[in-house]
Amino acid sequence: MTLPPFFSYASSSLNCESVALSQVADQFGTPSYVYSKAAITEAMSAYLNALGDHPGMICYAVKANSNLAVLQLLAKLGAGFDIVSAGELARVLAAGGRADKVVFSGVAKKREEMVAALEAGIHCFNVESVAELELLAEVAQELGKEAPVSLRVNPDVDAKTHPYISTGLAENKFGISMEHAYQAYAFVHATEGLRVIGIDCHIGSQLTELAPFKDALDRVLDLVDRLREAGIVLEHVDAGGGLGVRYKDETPPDITDYVRALKGPLAARGLGLMLEPGRSIVANAGTLITQVDFLKTTEKHNFALVDAAMNDLLRPALYQAWMDIKPLEVNSDVTEKAWNIVGPVCETGDFLGKDRRLALSAGDRLAVLGAGAYGFVMASNYNTRPRAAEIMIDGDQMHLVRERETVADLFKHEHLL
Ligand code: LLP
């Protein structure tokens, strides 16, 4: 496994851009999430350049990493945002993002969330059921507004990814089936308070091949053509997110090829392209740094007990995700062995990596790579563990973009009887 761009060893120290990660650990402690500004910028720019002057938007999926500084950076670069809650909308606005560049996804939006989004003036609601359409129409009518709508269809395509992050199969809870979509469009078209502007789908995450994206788009375009014949003309197709990244040896298509493959068939139809990428913008821009507190050898395994745990980074425990683990300083005092890198949480599922060949002594520090997406955002306070700090690196500068929680923060909303 090679290192992601903007991470490199300078002599024996692992750097993010021009800063040694051991310096970040000294200054801010561990566990901490560290992000490369240049890596986020490069990935976002690749999307924007590939879209070029084709009408549409790159709406970063806020759920992947919602730190305000990350959103601020992306907003400045020209990103739109894909949100799934009123909370994410508030973050986007607080970070300087524009409401009219926001699309609101999610399988079940609440009335208050619809109100907040209508009042802010978002670009589009991605709606997933007729029941949701009925509520949205009611809310829009009450406010005297018109809600711009795209229907999320479920194209029934196998994304060939982990079952927990596959969303475009008929058996999943997401979207409106192709059979019912036509009727649902007729309903939107005929209902006061709703205005049809697009169609969307999102078939899953961490896809490493183009074929499922193309199949899904073909199916969506069949429906677009049928709707047009019926006089319902759409402005855009939102192909969702889902482009995979390299964690180990995956070979996902690059951003440019992916965007080109999708915008090609839309150009002829005069349709705009919207995308909702999350992971492919931030995953490999981030790392979780942690310290080895103890080494423990049993009959079966060598365990390195580190100060980051499943509450900080859930992906290995939840999806058996493999994420690379590298030392912040190369340790040449001891020989390499196979280690299980585990946290202090009281669960056997609490591991960051298994069977990793590393030369380790207690006190060494490690980086879990590819942790910029679905890392901090999925952190919890399980075992009353304060959530980690977040630091953004910009060249040779370190910026603390989220302070480490304190224990007092954790029970400040609780009351004794
Ligand atoms: N749009 C919609 C409607 C989504 O549900 C998602 C992700 C995205 C866009 C962004 O997908 P991306 O480009 O990041 O693949 N926690 C899991 C991933 C869950 C993805 C959920 N939806 C993980 O750690 O692998």
Side-chain angles (χ1 to χ4, degrees), residues 61 63 82 165 202 205 242 276-279 315 319 374 378:
K63 65 168 80 74
D82 166 47
I165 51 176
H202 170 79
S205 196
E276 304 168 356
R279 188 190 312 267
R315 305 194 65 257
Y319 317 111
Y374 307 109
M378 292 176 79

Side-chain angles (χ1 to χ4, degrees), residues 60-66 71 81-94 99 102-118 120 122 124-126 128 132 152 276 377:
Y60 167 69
V62 173
K63 65 168 80 74
N65 184 327
S66 58
L71 302 182
F81 296 94
D82 166 47
I83 60 163
V84 289
S85 68
E88 288 190 348
L89 175 59
R91 279 184 176 276
V92 167
L93 299 177
V102 166
V103 298
F104 194 169
S105 298
V107 68
K109 302 163 192 76
K110 292 187 86 66
R111 170 184 282 271
E112 310 82 86
E113 296 185 307
M114 293 176 177
V115 170
L118 280 167
I122 66 164
C124 187
F125 288 84
N126 291 351
E128 302 209 17
E132 201 192 334
R152 174 170 176 179
E276 304 168 356
V377 285

Side-chain angles (χ1 to χ4, degrees), residues 60-365:
Y60 167 69
V62 173
K63 65 168 80 74
N65 184 327
S66 58
N67 183 282
L68 289 190
V70 171
L71 302 182
Q72 176 193 28
L73 169 62
L74 291 168
K76 279 194 182 148
L77 292 169
F81 296 94
D82 166 47
I83 60 163
V84 289
S85 68
E88 288 190 348
L89 175 59
R91 279 184 176 276
V92 167
L93 299 177
R98 277 171 45 183
D100 64 352
K101 288 184 139 188
V102 166
V103 298
F104 194 169
S105 298
V107 68
K109 302 163 192 76
K110 292 187 86 66
R111 170 184 282 271
E112 310 82 86
E113 296 185 307
M114 293 176 177
V115 170
L118 280 167
E119 282 178 343
I122 66 164
H123 182 72
C124 187
F125 288 84
N126 291 351
V127 177
E128 302 209 17
S129 66
V130 174
E132 201 192 334
L133 278 177
E134 286 167 351
L135 180 61
L136 183 59
E138 191 182 304
V139 174
Q141 286 165 23
E142 278 166 22
L143 294 177
K145 296 198 186 270
E146 199 169 55
V149 167
S150 157
L151 293 186
R152 174 170 176 179
V153 295
N154 184 331
D156 194 17
V157 165
D158 185 357
K160 301 198 184 76
T161 183
H162 189 284
Y164 285 13
I165 51 176
S166 178
T167 50
L169 284 171
E171 68 201 54
N172 300 133
K173 71 178 172 185
F174 299 100
I176 299 176
S177 69
M178 296 307 259
E179 297 73 54
H180 295 135
Y182 188 83
Q183 275 308 108
Y185 270 105
F187 175 82
V188 179
H189 197 56
T191 304
E192 193 194 329
L194 303 179
R195 180 163 54 92
V196 184
I197 64 165
I199 188 165
D200 62 288
C201 70
H202 170 79
I203 56 174
S205 196
Q206 184 54 14
L207 273 72
T208 53
E209 290 168 30
L210 277 183
F213 288 116
K214 288 190 186 160
D215 288 353
L217 184 62
D218 283 348
R219 292 183 192 195
V220 166
L221 287 175
D222 278 348
L223 182 61
V224 171
D225 293 342
R226 279 175 54 212
L227 289 168
R228 187 183 295 237
E229 282 160 23
I232 301 176
V233 180
L234 306 185
E235 292 168 20
H236 75 251
V237 172
D238 174 344
L243 181 63
V245 301
R246 174 179 285 211
Y247 288 107
K248 189 179 192 180
D249 47 15
E250 302 88 335
T251 51
D254 72 19
I255 291 172
T256 309
D257 292 344
Y258 162 72
V259 176
R260 284 209 182 119
L262 297 178
K263 78 176 183 180
L266 300 190
R269 293 173 167 86
L271 284 163
L273 172 64
M274 314 271 285
L275 289 172
E276 304 168 356
R279 188 190 312 267
S280 50
I281 292 179
V282 286
N284 277 322
T287 178
L288 172 64
I289 57 174
T290 180
Q291 172 169 294
V292 179
D293 284 334
F294 301 103
L295 298 178
K296 172 170 171 177
T297 294
T298 67
E299 284 75 26
K300 300 267 189 203
H301 296 292
N302 299 313
F303 291 101
L305 293 135
V306 299
D307 65 2
M310 65 189 289
N311 77 292
D312 299 297
L313 180 61
L314 188 59
R315 305 194 65 257
L318 190 59
Y319 317 111
Q320 291 76 47
W322 190 98
M323 301 171 75
D324 202 10
I325 302 180
K326 293 272 194 245
L328 299 200
E329 299 288 337
V330 174
N331 183 339
S332 42
D333 299 339
V334 290
T335 52
E336 234 180 54
K337 278 198 245 178
W339 293 97
N340 285 359
I341 313 295
V342 300
V345 162
C346 309
E347 301 254 0
T348 300
D350 179 28
F351 65 91
L352 298 178
K354 288 186 175 167
D355 207 17
R356 303 302 174 87
R357 291 209 67 83
L358 290 161
L360 290 183
S361 306
D364 284 0
R365 290 169 306 189

